[in-house]
Amino acid sequence: ICRPKGTALMSWFYEIRSSDNALLLKRDDGFVDVEAAKSAARAEAKQMKSSHQPGVPQLGRVMVGQNREQPTRF
């Protein structure tokens, strides 16, 4: 990885929350960019929505954000 010394390595994660804002799922797989995280989140939300079961909270929103991680290699 080529980056200036002292800069942080960033990765992306996503969360799927219920309609009452409770966290249903968080994937912190270190997606390389925001579009990869959004795409994975949308696919997961679609799958969760299509397999809804009674007693399981309804999907509310999908959120994507950045994580700061320590590099494993230089």
Side-chain angles (χ1 to χ4, degrees), residues 1 3 6-11 28 30 67-74:
I1 298 174
R3 61 187 173 89
T7 60
L9 181 64
M10 301 297 277
S11 66
D28 194 6
N67 271 345
R68 198 174 273 227
E69 294 184 349
Q70 295 298 321
T72 55
R73 293 180 169 197
F74 288 98

Side-chain angles (χ1 to χ4, degrees), residues 54-71:
V56 177
Q58 293 286 332
L59 258 56
R61 58 186 171 158
V62 173
M63 300 182 338
V64 176
Q66 276 188 326
N67 271 345
R68 198 174 273 227
E69 294 184 349
Q70 295 298 321

